[in-house]
Amino acid sequence: MLDSLAERFLEDEALSEGLTDQQAHELLDWLISIARELGEPAYVPQLQQIGREIAKISRDYGVPVETLIELVEMAWEDPDAPPGPMMRA
């Protein structure tokens, strides 16, 4: 099941369109790791949509994929958790 989750992301060309190989690899690795952590295929379409939006914003506005991933992770963080790298600046 986990391999089929990864395949669904790897086959979605919109997740890497217009990104460098490094950015595409980083985004796909991140999405696949979340899908594996959740272990539920029902979340894949939502994660794909998040990935497409990250790719689009990165491509259109030149925002690094890593920065956008950190932003999404910050939004998902527990409000009682210690501040992440973006919050320390």
Side-chain angles (χ1 to χ4, degrees), residues 4-76:
S4 66
L5 289 175
E7 286 179 29
R8 289 176 64 182
F9 290 106
L10 295 171
E11 292 173 351
D12 188 343
E13 293 179 14
L15 292 173
S16 60
E17 184 178 338
L19 300 178
T20 67
D21 287 345
Q22 181 180 351
Q23 290 175 322
H25 181 73
E26 186 172 345
L27 179 59
L28 289 168
D29 279 352
W30 180 69
L31 291 167
I32 291 167
S33 70
I34 292 171
R36 286 183 172 158
E37 187 177 310
L38 294 171
E40 178 60 51
Y43 289 105
V44 170
Q46 183 178 5
L47 291 169
Q48 286 176 304
Q49 186 60 40
I50 290 169
R52 287 184 205 112
E53 291 300 321
I54 287 174
K56 182 180 185 316
I57 291 168
S58 179
R59 184 177 56 245
D60 292 353
Y61 299 102
V63 179
V65 166
E66 179 181 311
T67 301
L68 295 168
I69 288 172
E70 288 174 359
L71 182 63
V72 171
E73 288 177 342
M74 184 174 58
W76 283 342

